[in-house]
Amino acid sequence: MPSWDIQPAGVNAVLARTETTAQEFEPQLTSLNTGLEGSATESSSPIVADALSGFAGSAQGNIQFVLTRTGAAMTGAANATTAYLDGDLAMAANAQAAASAAPDPTAVMPGHGPR
């Protein structure tokens, strides 16, 4: 049986760093788009403009994939950690309920049982 050793604080730290990095995606993509548009305009060449437009179109799917996958990975890690913690709480509650439901051991001890 596999053993789990998830450190929620560690997961939260990684998620926070990932979120900080992911927040840079939008400004970087805006900068890329501005650069491509400027290059197409400044080149004064329909061939260069078409090539840059083609590049942007072909890269769009890959870029969207990275954004979608990053969000899904972050959500998955957060949900898995929450489920892990909920499982720990459920196991603790079950153990506590089982302990309180255990029969009184004095009932079966010599001299304390039924007469």
Side-chain angles (χ1 to χ4, degrees):
M1 172 186 255
S3 162
W4 295 86
D5 187 16
I6 296 174
Q7 302 297 321
V11 173
N12 286 336
V14 169
L15 288 175
R17 287 193 311 268
T18 304
E19 182 178 13
T20 298
T21 300
Q23 288 174 347
E24 291 298 315
F25 288 171
E26 187 174 344
Q28 294 297 327
L29 291 173
T30 300
S31 178
L32 174 64
N33 190 45
T34 300
L36 289 172
E37 289 174 358
S39 297
T41 301
E42 292 299 318
S43 73
S44 299
S45 167
I47 294 172
V48 171
D50 284 346
L52 291 172
S53 177
F55 167 75
S58 70
Q60 184 176 3
N62 291 332
I63 291 169
Q64 187 58 50
F65 174 80
V66 169
L67 298 176
T68 300
R69 183 58 61 110
T70 300
M74 291 175 65
T75 300
N79 289 345
T81 303
T82 299
Y84 175 80
L85 292 173
D86 289 347
D88 277 355
L89 293 174
M91 286 188 292
N94 289 340
Q96 187 175 19
S100 65
D104 181 7
T106 59
V108 293
M109 291 176 70
H112 291 88
R115 297 179 195 230

